[in-house]
Amino acid sequence: METIKLGINGIDKLFIDGLPRKSNLLVYGKPGCGKTLFGLEFIYHGVDDFNENGVYVTFDQSRENILQQCRKFGWDIEKHMKKGKVSVLSFAIDKLDREVLNKIISEIRKTRARRLVIDTITLLALSKYEDKYTFLIKDKVVVSNSIQQFIYSVITTLNCLDTTNMYLAFSSDDESATQDGISEYLCDGIINLRIRKMGKAFIRTIEIMKMRRSNHLSGIHNFSITDKGMIVED
Ligand SMILES: Nc1ncnc2c1ncn2[C@@H]1O[C@H](COP(=O)(O)OP(=O)(O)OP(=O)(O)O)[C@@H](O)[C@H]1O
Ligand SMILES: [Mg+2]
């Protein structure tokens, strides 16, 4: 089985057997827990350390905001964008058209991406048109009332590509990852990022809740966010 490294400082030792290539990961947590940062590191280290091209899709920030966040951590992602190795796509959720999946797929093909991040699947799941999910897969129009069918189609369609996929999800509590209830089941791996206040400091933790086809460390591990990015502690 071919495996890859996430590349985030200290995290890969949690994946004892490595992360199976082309698997899909769900990374969930409350606001401010570090989801976007986690996804950006996956893309940035992917291209900078392992020469794996990547596509980052955001539904809640502008492209410029994402680039600013990278600059703040000293990651020159724009250098890779100029070479066509990385793309950052930003979609406004209220203007989502049914072409969104096709646009993501064509960007993956254009950049020959091996890594994809969707920030967040929670927002993508809000993309109803006239009270229904209407989307285009290749040239087939799918109209559905069901969030589960929509999520199923998104995940299985993106699964057919050559990328390792990371879905970020907003969650208001740490027990349930998503409101659709199906992403957890469809994804091969689930990671929970937690944040809690202790006095004046934030305590941040990470836990791998599930990882198909691979051995991993169980339990809760502390991490911090420094001016160079995330560091998972021993
Ligand atoms: N340079 C830095 N040094 C330390 N901590 C930082 C730095 N930059 C950002 N942070 C922390 O990272 C957090 C933001 O992380 P991030 O945007 O990845 O969270 P998120 O889970 O995506 O949030 P949301 O659900 O609102 O999108 C900030 O709230 C801040 O606490
Ligand atoms: Mg975010």
Side-chain angles (χ1 to χ4, degrees):
M1 183 180 63
E2 199 187 343
T3 60
I4 64 165
K5 286 189 157 98
L6 283 162
I8 298 167
N9 200 333
I11 203 171
D12 285 294
K13 64 179 179 298
L14 305 187
F15 293 88
I16 298 166
D17 294 340
L19 178 69
R21 181 181 288 289
K22 287 187 66 175
S23 53
N24 42 37
L25 278 182
L26 182 71
V27 179
Y28 78 96
K30 292 178 184 173
C33 69
K35 299 180 291 296
T36 295
L37 192 52
F38 197 89
L40 281 176
E41 292 222 21
F42 177 62
I43 294 294
Y44 175 70
H45 294 299
V47 66
D48 206 65
D49 300 348
F50 308 116
N51 199 26
E52 290 203 348
N53 297 0
V55 172
Y56 193 95
V57 182
T58 173
F59 295 103
D60 66 6
Q61 290 187 68
S62 67
R63 200 162 165 271
E64 183 47 32
N65 277 0
I66 291 288
L67 299 182
Q68 254 175 27
Q69 195 163 348
C70 290
R71 277 180 223 127
K72 236 182 80 203
F73 290 105
W75 308 328
D76 190 359
I77 204 163
E78 285 154 90
K79 161 181 89 185
H80 298 294
M81 291 170 75
K82 282 184 197 130
K83 290 184 191 157
K85 292 164 79 73
V86 171
S87 278
V88 177
L89 301 179
S90 171
F91 295 101
I93 201 75
D94 56 341
K95 292 192 204 106
L96 264 193
D97 59 54
R98 61 188 199 174
E99 289 274 4
V100 65
L101 265 189
N102 279 353
K103 284 180 183 165
I104 294 170
I105 291 168
S106 84
E107 203 63 26
I108 287 171
R109 299 219 163 103
K110 203 168 95 193
T111 52
R112 294 200 194 87
R114 305 302 309 273
R115 298 182 180 215
L116 167 72
V117 172
I118 303 289
D119 183 0
T120 59
I121 195 162
T122 322
L123 282 182
L124 178 58
L126 292 180
S127 58
K128 279 185 166 179
Y129 175 71
E130 289 180 350
D131 239 18
K132 287 195 169 55
Y133 295 103
T134 310
F135 49 104
L136 206 63
I137 297 178
K138 293 184 183 143
D139 46 10
K140 187 174 146 222
V141 182
V142 182
V143 181
S144 172
N145 275 320
S146 151
I147 184 171
Q148 280 86 4
Q149 194 194 346
F150 175 65
I151 297 291
Y152 177 83
S153 301
V154 169
I155 293 180
T156 52
T157 302
L158 295 176
N159 245 356
C160 297
L161 306 171
D162 212 18
T163 45
T164 303
N165 300 334
M166 182 181 286
Y167 298 95
L168 308 182
F170 156 75
S171 166
S172 50
D173 71 82
D174 290 312
E175 300 315 314
S176 43
T178 63
Q179 279 159 12
D180 61 73
I182 195 170
S183 314
E184 292 93 313
Y185 166 58
L186 289 175
C187 285
D188 300 306
I190 305 178
I191 294 176
N192 181 208
L193 302 179
R194 295 195 195 108
I195 179 169
R196 108 186 115 82
K197 202 131 193 240
M198 201 176 230
K200 285 186 180 163
F202 285 122
I203 308 290
R204 296 179 186 275
T205 56
I206 178 168
E207 183 175 14
I208 303 174
M209 315 293 284
K210 152 179 161 180
M211 193 64 238
R212 287 179 186 143
R213 296 183 285 140
S214 180
N215 192 12
H216 62 84
L217 289 185
S218 57
I220 293 170
H221 303 268
N222 290 328
F223 75 88
S224 48
I225 301 178
T226 70
D227 56 5
K228 293 193 173 61
M230 293 176 65
I231 301 178
V232 179
E233 291 150 25
D234 287 327

